[in-house]
Amino acid sequence: MTSPPGWYPDPQAPHLERWWDGATWTEHLRAPEAPGPPQPSGGTSGRAKAVALTTAAVVLVAAIVTGVAVLGEDDDGGGPAADALPTAVTSTSVTDTPTPTTSEPATGDPGPVVDELNGITLPLPDGWTTPKNVAEDDVVMTTDDGTYDCPAGIGICRHGLVLTRTVTENDERSPEALARQDIPDAADAAYDRDSLDRRLYGGIESHRTVRSGPVAVAGRAGYFVRWRVTTADGPGGYVQSLAFPSSVGSESPVIVRFVFDAGPDGPPLADMDRITKGIRSIGDTDTGGGVGSSIGPSS
């Protein structure tokens, strides 16, 4: 059986009364009325009206405080007529203020690496990042898996590096000649002795050319040479020298060096081709292709 509509003690605040409409609790609250003789119509004094208004204000504040106090608490079903009336009371006296979200906006694909000195941009493939805390000169990107202890037990190494440099120390302008001249120096710097004269990989034991040939870079004819290097310690790696003329200034030749560790922890060799094919002149995102655009087999 259910109780008829009327004022009943609030299950959550027995010192107040809440209106039961015969089916559910409503949002209406009031202080219990004290019994007393009925007032004649129109006989309420100004002082009595003031007292009534003050009492109503106190009741409203008490209702708000009560609503805040019961938020999040389990209902215990107490109070008179609890067996006939539902005990779940939803407070409508307080409205929670939404909290602004602090999530970061979604970001798109990383933009290219910009080499203003040589007037080019290079794509940043998955698994690569711009250099952070890198001691080597001219590094434009590294693998994003951080560093590891070098195989020889001294220093820290990275699984992949890409470097750019401007050729200024000789008058050679042939991309093929420049790439073939640079590859021994690139291999020594990467896997034989570092700038502090340390052999982080125990030194180079042997090398072999695995690929070489002409390639178009930013719409200009270039040339690349790739070596497989065997070291005394660790799995060794791959080194590539890519030479092509710059599109800015005096058009001094540009060398891009690739250093990839071999073995399962090294980056995929296909990234050398992806980066090479994605090099563009600054401000010209459509430049590419042309004579020698394909990367061919060893020659």
Side-chain angles (χ1 to χ4, degrees), residues 11-12 25 75-78 82 85-89:
Q12 299 300 329
W25 292 109
D75 297 322
D76 60 8
L85 300 178
T87 58
V89 179

Side-chain angles (χ1 to χ4, degrees), residues 50-111:
V51 171
L53 290 175
T54 300
T55 302
V58 171
V59 170
L60 177 60
V61 171
I64 293 175
V65 172
T66 301
V68 173
V70 301
L71 283 176
E73 295 180 353
D74 293 333
D75 297 322
D76 60 8
D83 55 344
L85 300 178
T87 58
V89 179
T90 302
S91 173
T92 57
S93 301
V94 179
T95 302
D96 292 335
T97 302
T99 302
T101 60
T102 56
S103 59
E104 295 292 332
T107 57
D109 294 333

Side-chain angles (χ1 to χ4, degrees), residues 236-278:
Y238 293 86
V239 181
Q240 176 173 298
S241 291
L242 168 68
F244 57 95
S246 172
S247 62
V248 298
S250 61
E251 299 187 357
S252 297
V254 178
I255 297 287
V256 180
R257 289 179 176 178
F258 300 79
V259 179
F260 284 32
D261 279 358
D265 295 327
L269 282 178
D271 281 355
M272 289 189 182
D273 298 344
R274 294 188 186 100
I275 295 171
T276 298
K277 292 179 179 179

Side-chain angles (χ1 to χ4, degrees), residues 146-166:
T147 61
Y148 66 96
D149 294 333
C150 296
I154 55 173
I156 58 173
C157 293
R158 297 176 187 271
H159 292 299
L161 297 169
V162 178
L163 309 87
T164 63
R165 52 191 296 266
T166 307

